[in-house]
PDB file of all heavy atoms in Angstrom:
ATOM      1  N   ARG A  89      -8.417  22.432  -0.334  1.00 98.00           N
ATOM      2  CA  ARG A  89      -9.095  22.770  -1.587  1.00 98.00           C
ATOM      3  C   ARG A  89      -8.201  23.757  -2.339  1.00 98.00           C
ATOM      4  O   ARG A  89      -7.281  24.337  -1.748  1.00 98.00           O
ATOM      5  CB  ARG A  89     -10.486  23.363  -1.333  1.00 98.00           C
ATOM      6  CG  ARG A  89     -10.463  24.644  -0.527  1.00 98.00           C
ATOM      7  CD  ARG A  89     -11.869  25.210  -0.344  1.00 98.00           C
ATOM      8  NE  ARG A  89     -11.805  26.491   0.327  1.00 98.00           N
ATOM      9  CZ  ARG A  89     -12.816  27.353   0.385  1.00 98.00           C
ATOM     10  NH1 ARG A  89     -13.960  27.082  -0.203  1.00 98.00           N
ATOM     11  NH2 ARG A  89     -12.687  28.498   1.010  1.00 98.00           N
ATOM     12  N   CYS A 225     -14.578  21.347   0.935  1.00 95.00           N
ATOM     13  CA  CYS A 225     -14.749  22.777   0.703  1.00 95.00           C
ATOM     14  C   CYS A 225     -15.439  23.391   1.907  1.00 95.00           C
ATOM     15  O   CYS A 225     -16.349  22.810   2.470  1.00 95.00           O
ATOM     16  CB  CYS A 225     -15.583  23.007  -0.543  1.00 95.00           C
ATOM     17  SG  CYS A 225     -15.637  24.744  -0.979  1.00 95.00           S
ATOM     18  N   GLY A 226     -14.998  24.568   2.262  1.00 89.00           N
ATOM     19  CA  GLY A 226     -15.597  25.246   3.423  1.00 89.00           C
ATOM     20  C   GLY A 226     -16.723  26.199   3.055  1.00 89.00           C
ATOM     21  O   GLY A 226     -17.136  27.012   3.872  1.00 89.00           O
ATOM     22  N   CYS A 227     -17.246  26.111   1.821  1.00 93.00           N
ATOM     23  CA  CYS A 227     -18.288  27.072   1.444  1.00 93.00           C
ATOM     24  C   CYS A 227     -19.605  26.736   2.148  1.00 93.00           C
ATOM     25  O   CYS A 227     -19.845  25.601   2.532  1.00 93.00           O
ATOM     26  CB  CYS A 227     -18.474  27.128  -0.075  1.00 93.00           C
ATOM     27  SG  CYS A 227     -19.258  25.680  -0.803  1.00 93.00           S
ATOM     28  N   SER A 228     -20.444  27.756   2.314  1.00 92.00           N
ATOM     29  CA  SER A 228     -21.745  27.545   2.955  1.00 92.00           C
ATOM     30  C   SER A 228     -22.653  28.680   2.524  1.00 92.00           C
ATOM     31  O   SER A 228     -22.176  29.740   2.104  1.00 92.00           O
ATOM     32  CB  SER A 228     -21.597  27.559   4.471  1.00 92.00           C
ATOM     33  OG  SER A 228     -21.229  28.850   4.895  1.00 92.00           O
ATOM     34  N   CYS A 258     -19.870  27.795  -6.416  1.00 93.00           N
ATOM     35  CA  CYS A 258     -18.580  27.746  -5.722  1.00 93.00           C
ATOM     36  C   CYS A 258     -17.542  27.208  -6.691  1.00 93.00           C
ATOM     37  O   CYS A 258     -17.710  26.127  -7.253  1.00 93.00           O
ATOM     38  CB  CYS A 258     -18.666  26.862  -4.480  1.00 93.00           C
ATOM     39  SG  CYS A 258     -17.069  26.692  -3.685  1.00 93.00           S
ATOM     40  N   GLU A 259     -16.466  27.977  -6.882  1.00 92.00           N
ATOM     41  CA  GLU A 259     -15.434  27.549  -7.828  1.00 92.00           C
ATOM     42  C   GLU A 259     -14.628  26.371  -7.310  1.00 92.00           C
ATOM     43  O   GLU A 259     -14.011  25.643  -8.062  1.00 92.00           O
ATOM     44  CB  GLU A 259     -14.466  28.703  -8.098  1.00 92.00           C
ATOM     45  CG  GLU A 259     -15.070  29.852  -8.867  1.00 92.00           C
ATOM     46  CD  GLU A 259     -14.058  30.970  -8.993  1.00 92.00           C
ATOM     47  OE1 GLU A 259     -13.925  31.766  -8.037  1.00 92.00           O
ATOM     48  OE2 GLU A 259     -13.382  31.031 -10.035  1.00 92.00           O
ATOM     49  N   PHE A 260     -14.587  26.207  -5.992  1.00 95.00           N
ATOM     50  CA  PHE A 260     -13.787  25.126  -5.410  1.00 95.00           C
ATOM     51  C   PHE A 260     -14.474  23.767  -5.511  1.00 95.00           C
ATOM     52  O   PHE A 260     -13.823  22.755  -5.738  1.00 95.00           O
ATOM     53  CB  PHE A 260     -13.527  25.404  -3.924  1.00 95.00           C
ATOM     54  CG  PHE A 260     -12.579  26.534  -3.671  1.00 95.00           C
ATOM     55  CD1 PHE A 260     -13.049  27.804  -3.362  1.00 95.00           C
ATOM     56  CD2 PHE A 260     -11.204  26.327  -3.723  1.00 95.00           C
ATOM     57  CE1 PHE A 260     -12.177  28.846  -3.101  1.00 95.00           C
ATOM     58  CE2 PHE A 260     -10.322  27.360  -3.456  1.00 95.00           C
ATOM     59  CZ  PHE A 260     -10.805  28.625  -3.150  1.00 95.00           C
ATOM     60  N   CYS A 261     -15.806  23.745  -5.274  1.00 95.00           N
ATOM     61  CA  CYS A 261     -16.459  22.436  -5.163  1.00 95.00           C
ATOM     62  C   CYS A 261     -17.660  22.294  -6.089  1.00 95.00           C
ATOM     63  O   CYS A 261     -18.340  21.267  -6.056  1.00 95.00           O
ATOM     64  CB  CYS A 261     -16.880  22.166  -3.722  1.00 95.00           C
ATOM     65  SG  CYS A 261     -18.276  23.169  -3.200  1.00 95.00           S
ATOM     66  N   GLY A 262     -17.948  23.319  -6.888  1.00 92.00           N
ATOM     67  CA  GLY A 262     -19.037  23.207  -7.847  1.00 92.00           C
ATOM     68  C   GLY A 262     -20.421  23.352  -7.244  1.00 92.00           C
ATOM     69  O   GLY A 262     -21.420  23.238  -7.952  1.00 92.00           O
ATOM     70  N   LYS A 263     -20.509  23.583  -5.932  1.00 95.00           N
ATOM     71  CA  LYS A 263     -21.828  23.690  -5.318  1.00 95.00           C
ATOM     72  C   LYS A 263     -22.524  24.948  -5.819  1.00 95.00           C
ATOM     73  O   LYS A 263     -21.899  25.970  -6.070  1.00 95.00           O
ATOM     74  CB  LYS A 263     -21.703  23.711  -3.792  1.00 95.00           C
ATOM     75  CG  LYS A 263     -22.921  23.145  -3.109  1.00 95.00           C
ATOM     76  CD  LYS A 263     -22.777  23.251  -1.606  1.00 95.00           C
ATOM     77  CE  LYS A 263     -22.221  21.973  -0.983  1.00 95.00           C
ATOM     78  NZ  LYS A 263     -22.036  22.119   0.466  1.00 95.00           N
ATOM     79  N   TYR A 265     -25.625  27.804  -5.438  1.00 94.00           N
ATOM     80  CA  TYR A 265     -26.510  28.484  -4.484  1.00 94.00           C
ATOM     81  C   TYR A 265     -27.394  29.465  -5.248  1.00 94.00           C
ATOM     82  O   TYR A 265     -26.904  30.210  -6.091  1.00 94.00           O
ATOM     83  CB  TYR A 265     -25.686  29.271  -3.462  1.00 94.00           C
ATOM     84  CG  TYR A 265     -24.768  28.423  -2.605  1.00 94.00           C
ATOM     85  CD1 TYR A 265     -23.489  28.098  -3.047  1.00 94.00           C
ATOM     86  CD2 TYR A 265     -25.177  27.953  -1.365  1.00 94.00           C
ATOM     87  CE1 TYR A 265     -22.641  27.322  -2.264  1.00 94.00           C
ATOM     88  CE2 TYR A 265     -24.340  27.184  -0.568  1.00 94.00           C
ATOM     89  CZ  TYR A 265     -23.067  26.875  -1.031  1.00 94.00           C
ATOM     90  OH  TYR A 265     -22.229  26.117  -0.264  1.00 94.00           O
TER      91      TYR A 265
HETATM   92 ZN1   ZN B 301     -17.523  25.043  -2.148  1.00 78.68          ZN
END
Side-chain angles (χ1 to χ4, degrees):
R89 61 178 185 166
C225 187
C227 71
S228 67
C258 176
E259 291 176 278
F260 289 98
C261 72
K263 209 183 265 178
Y265 298 86

